DNA sequence: TGAATATATGAACAAGTATTCATATGTTAC
DNA sequence: GTAACATATGAATACTTGTTCATATATTCA
């Protein structure tokens, strides 16, 4: 299959967004439903700042979506592709 | 969803293997069938050395498989999961 | 208004990574 | 055997990336 350089880069960027254990754990938590930054930080045992930085990247790649409510921001999985990539990858890791 | 740290790391490593445009282009070529290192290098416009280094990583993650024939080594996609991850990701990039 | 809370951001440093270059291994042909 | 070829590998360098720390923005409550 021939791929334009631009598409190769876009695809690599998508997988890059999933290429860190912290981000994977954040996404794993979000699979069950939306969560606040604080709850995510507690869930993965990271500072809110580090989580916020990571969420920014995930947001820019359209992997997660933010919903503001009062002073909290709730994050959720943006798109069904994301959950499918996640579970397909998990499948490969488990039965690999 | 709760994920052990080990599984999170494994999953991140899997996606890391797909997180580079050069490797994506290599895999895109291999989607159509096996190819030698030289053909891959020509196909993506990289040196054989650089390609060989990348293939090593892909091999270790069980994303590609090597078959030696004479002095050439032919690479192919190792597992159906890989092709599915690839096309699912491409789908997300195109209709994202 | 001011204090407290929730999140975001910029800069800086440490750790990881892709490519290059030189060299090594293994294979075929002579 | 030697020469030529195909691939692999180690070290070095340049580049990228994740986290921390300090600070900023925004919202609620008193």
């Amino acid at each position: 299959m021939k791929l334009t350089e631009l598409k190769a880069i876009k695809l690599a960027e998508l997988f890059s967004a999933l290429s860190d254990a912290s981000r994977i754990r954040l996404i794993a938590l979000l699979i069950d439903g939306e969560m606040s930054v604080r709850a995510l930080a507690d869930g993965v045992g990271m500072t809110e700042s580090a989580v916020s930085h990571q969420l920014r990247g995930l947001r820019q790649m359209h992997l997660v979506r933010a919903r503001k409510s009062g002073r909290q921001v709730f994050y959720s999985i943006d798109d069904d592709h994301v959950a499918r990539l996640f579970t397909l990858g998990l499948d490969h890791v488990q039965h690999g």
Side-chain angles (χ1 to χ4, degrees), chain A:
Chain A
M1 180 188 298
K2 213 171 164 189
L3 219 53
T4 66
E5 179 63 10
L6 179 63
K7 269 186 193 167
I9 291 173
K10 287 284 174 197
L11 200 39
E13 283 175 351
L14 168 64
F15 289 120
S16 292
L18 298 168
S19 71
D20 175 80
S22 304
R23 286 193 294 271
I24 287 290
R25 276 152 62 221
L26 289 172
I27 289 179
L29 288 175
L30 292 176
I31 292 276
D32 295 331
E34 69 175 16
M35 290 177 73
S36 71
V37 175
R38 166 120 288 283
L40 286 167
D42 285 347
V44 299
M46 295 167 63
T47 66
E48 290 165 16
S49 177
V51 168
S52 188
H53 275 294
Q54 297 291 23
L55 289 171
R56 186 193 200 185
L58 292 173
R59 224 186 316 137
Q60 286 174 343
M61 292 309 297
H62 299 104
L63 300 192
V64 302
R65 190 178 343 134
R67 177 179 71 84
K68 195 165 187 176
S69 168
R71 49 187 151 185
Q72 299 184 81
V73 176
F74 291 93
Y75 280 83
S76 56
I77 302 289
D78 187 324
D79 166 322
D80 190 50
H81 280 126
V82 182
R84 283 202 281 159
L85 278 171
F86 182 90
T87 54
L88 188 52
L90 194 56
D91 219 49
H92 183 261
V93 168
Q94 282 167 340
H95 310 70

